[in-house]
Amino acid sequence: MTMWQAFHSLGWRQHLIGWRQHGWRYPFLCVAVANLFHPSWYLRHYPDVAAVGGNAFAHCLLYGITEGRELSPSFSVSGYCYHYSGDALWTPVDAVLHYGWWGRWRGLNPLPCFPGSGLQASAPEQPCLAVFAHSVGPRLYGAERSLLDVLKSLEQLEVATVVVVPNASNPRYIAALQRISRAVYAVPYGWWREGETDHPDTLATLQSLLESTGADAVYLNTLTLQAPAVAARSLGLPVLTHVRELPAYDPGLCLSLHSSAEGVLSHAVAHSDLLIVNSQCTANAFQNKTVQNTALQKKASQQNITDCSDVPITIVPNVVDVSAWQAVAPLNVEQPRPLRIGLLGSLISKKGLDDFAELADLLASKGVTVQCCLFGANTPDLEALLQQRASAGAEGSVCHEGYVEDPRDALATLDVVVNLSHFQESFGRTVLEAMAAARPVVAYEWGALPELVVHGKTGFLAPLGDVQRVAQWIETLANDPALLTSMGNAGRQCANDLFGTKAHRAAMANALSRLFSDVATKID
């Protein structure tokens, strides 16, 4: 798009908005964006913009850049900003202007590489995995922390990794990835959606990256990706998909992917040579799965995918380094005080917010002295719940403690952790972390949680939705400090034995031995 076309594609009202937002820089920004912008890719990458309609270039110029959106698959605004701004703290607008008017002509890389310092960074003879993250945001959640754990195990198994992220908007996370990898790349890519094909420019960018890094295989940290798998297959590289989702009980995920639960699972099978799952519960969801709908069968044929019903499945549970949790203060049961109960994670309705509030009221009605604490970022669901409880004068006390970067800081203040999710947890990372912190867990007997919590030994399990039973178990713990301590200690021992770093490396080595025969010999 030329400067003339850029200016004349906008109306005078849009130009006025641009001048008000950016002042004298506006015409220069307009030209820089015009030279970098890819309208068809932008609309496919951001379906919310496509749904509204209108001028995609205008949206990108006036709103998209300041919102942190990418312009094309061949220029990472956030990556360029992270790599070249130094201490200048550029905004996305600064990055686009810099590259459009200076960096582009000086040959600066629009998709910069962030060198890593991992143990295998300077070992070119080692097998290499291109590891694709599913998202990067301002806060780290279970999938991001699990990816860091996987990379640490791969490093110990002498497998080199290059990590590819869709953006570099979280510098601390990118720096953490650099410390345990050969390199980190920021390349704009998004989730797959049923019925949509990958943009040719995205595939070309990913193919070029895989060739330049010399990757021996592609490792997807989620089943929500497609483009990296298609790019890998075009180069004859095997694809490993680490599945951490249970679509059958997550309608929100299916809605975002424009697919059914069956379609999501079939898609993962069709685009993988090996499925790594985080629990037996997740493995069960894939039993006897084949590509069952015509669209996926056709896609598999076009992409030269072999018999999709024969994809092997191996279990690699989440991991916890129990030694890092030894610093969490032990339970203090000597002094009489209210029992502190916590629910940690994404504070949304499907995580059981209403059940947690009901639990607080039930315990108050029983005369059990407790403090019910929520740890996580504020959400509309949480605000609505707290407002409703305040207006109704609810009996139990529910307090929001906010988001805590390190879960150890939250668990150090708690006595018991509950998990009341109404969707099936494919693993239950916060449950495992509570066990590592020597805190007993009370949860629903649902999803993969029974694989972690040993009823009567490391905590208690209740039927799904039975808040009365949960309250009963909490009351039992509140009245028996010795049981509280013994269950916590048993949970820590179980976490170390079954989900410790050595067990994780062994499981990962077993999975990778299907590709790299000598990996299994690297286990301690």
Side-chain angles (χ1 to χ4, degrees):
M1 183 179 290
T2 66
M3 176 178 172
W4 178 263
Q5 290 172 324
F7 271 88
H8 283 270
S9 69
L10 306 180
W12 69 269
R13 293 182 184 275
Q14 293 168 323
H15 281 304
L16 182 60
I17 293 172
W19 280 102
R20 286 176 175 171
Q21 286 181 340
H22 305 291
W24 64 269
R25 299 197 303 176
Y26 171 65
F28 297 96
L29 180 64
C30 187
V31 174
V33 173
N35 288 325
L36 299 171
F37 184 62
H38 201 307
S40 63
W41 179 90
Y42 188 82
L43 291 173
R44 186 176 301 186
H45 197 63
Y46 300 113
D48 59 321
V49 178
V52 173
N55 189 323
F57 174 71
H59 183 277
C60 179
L61 177 66
L62 303 179
Y63 310 106
I65 299 176
T66 55
E67 292 172 357
R69 300 184 190 246
E70 304 289 357
L71 283 68
S72 77
S74 55
F75 175 57
S76 172
V77 178
S78 58
Y80 189 88
C81 195
Y82 175 75
H83 191 66
Y84 293 111
S85 66
D87 297 327
L89 299 178
W90 284 351
T91 66
V93 170
D94 295 328
V96 172
L97 284 169
H98 187 276
Y99 181 73
W101 288 94
W102 192 80
R104 187 181 181 192
W105 312 112
R106 294 295 301 270
L108 299 186
N109 192 346
L111 297 171
C113 167
F114 316 127
S117 56
L119 295 177
Q120 314 307 326
S122 58
E125 72 281 359
Q126 301 294 356
C128 180
L129 286 179
V131 180
F132 284 80
H134 80 296
S135 65
V136 176
R139 297 185 176 93
L140 300 188
Y141 294 102
E144 291 78 26
R145 296 204 300 272
S146 294
L147 177 57
L148 292 171
D149 292 335
V150 165
L151 292 172
K152 291 174 185 175
S153 285
L154 292 173
E155 188 175 50
Q156 293 299 318
L157 292 171
E158 298 183 11
V159 175
T161 56
V162 292
V163 183
V164 190
V165 293
N167 65 74
S169 61
N170 188 328
R172 291 180 62 185
Y173 182 47
I174 301 302
L177 293 172
Q178 288 178 263
R179 289 192 290 269
I180 47 178
S181 68
R182 181 177 287 176
V184 179
Y185 296 83
V187 179
Y189 58 87
W191 291 9
W192 75 277
R193 297 180 187 86
E194 184 74 71
E196 294 184 7
T197 57
D198 300 296
H199 198 283
D201 290 356
T202 297
L203 294 178
T205 299
L206 294 179
Q207 289 167 357
S208 176
L209 175 65
L210 293 175
E211 289 179 315
S212 66
T213 58
D216 298 299
V218 163
Y219 181 103
L220 307 181
N221 193 48
T222 171
L223 54 62
T224 63
L225 301 181
Q226 174 175 283
V230 175
R233 285 284 174 74
S234 69
L235 299 174
L237 300 178
V239 178
L240 297 77
T241 301
H242 201 142
V243 180
R244 310 175 189 278
E245 303 89 354
L246 285 170
Y249 298 92
D250 195 347
L253 175 66
C254 295
L255 181 63
S256 66
L257 299 177
H258 300 174
S259 183
S260 64
E262 183 66 34
V264 175
L265 295 176
S266 297
H267 174 271
V269 172
H271 290 82
S272 306
D273 297 289
L274 173 65
L275 289 172
I276 299 176
V277 298
N278 58 353
S279 67
Q280 183 61 54
C281 179
T282 308
N284 293 342
F286 280 95
Q287 295 304 316
N288 302 317
K289 291 297 176 192
T290 59
V291 182
Q292 295 184 10
N293 68 57
T294 305
L296 281 176
Q297 288 176 345
K298 182 178 180 181
K299 186 182 295 185
S301 174
Q302 292 172 342
Q303 296 169 0
N304 195 30
I305 294 174
T306 57
D307 180 11
C308 298
S309 63
D310 203 23
V311 177
I313 300 173
T314 184
I315 299 175
V316 180
N318 285 5
V319 60
V320 62
D321 184 358
V322 175
S323 63
W325 290 81
Q326 299 287 349
V328 176
L331 289 171
N332 182 5
V333 297
E334 299 298 329
Q335 298 179 349
R337 59 178 178 79
L339 190 75
R340 285 179 58 86
I341 306 164
L343 186 151
L344 300 82
S346 302
L347 301 181
I348 52 180
S349 292
K350 69 178 184 179
K351 283 286 191 177
L353 287 182
D354 291 337
D355 289 17
F356 190 71
E358 183 182 348
L359 173 64
D361 293 339
L362 282 172
L363 291 171
S365 68
K366 288 172 173 285
V368 182
T369 306
V370 297
Q371 294 176 343
C372 295
C373 310
L374 292 164
F375 286 89
N378 196 17
T379 64
D381 289 346
L382 176 62
E383 288 184 354
L385 174 69
L386 295 179
Q387 184 177 7
Q388 183 271 330
R389 289 180 62 78
S391 61
E395 186 175 1
S397 174
V398 175
C399 59
H400 179 216
E401 302 284 351
Y403 174 80
V404 178
E405 183 74 28
D406 190 334
R408 289 175 295 185
D409 295 334
L411 288 166
T413 70
L414 297 174
D415 301 306
V416 181
V417 171
V418 297
N419 185 304
L420 307 175
S421 293
H422 276 243
F423 71 103
Q424 279 198 340
E425 298 272 9
S426 67
F427 184 81
R429 186 181 180 91
T430 58
V431 169
L432 179 58
E433 291 172 340
M435 293 166 60
R439 268 54 178 177
V441 176
V442 181
Y444 287 146
E445 193 171 5
W446 178 240
L449 299 185
E451 298 178 40
L452 279 75
V453 180
V454 181
H455 181 72
K457 180 179 179 182
T458 67
F460 292 111
L461 295 170
L464 176 64
D466 192 344
V467 184
Q468 289 275 1
R469 186 69 61 84
V470 174
Q472 174 189 328
W473 296 133
I474 295 293
E475 184 177 13
T476 298
L477 290 169
N479 294 329
D480 193 343
L483 180 62
L484 194 71
T485 302
S486 65
M487 279 191 164
N489 292 335
R492 173 172 283 176
Q493 188 64 50
C494 181
N496 185 60
D497 294 344
L498 301 180
F499 306 102
T501 54
K502 187 172 182 179
H504 188 263
R505 284 200 299 271
M508 185 61 70
N510 176 61
L512 294 182
S513 64
R514 298 172 182 269
L515 293 179
F516 311 119
S517 58
D518 61 336
V519 168
T521 65
K522 309 299 181 183
I523 305 175
D524 294 340

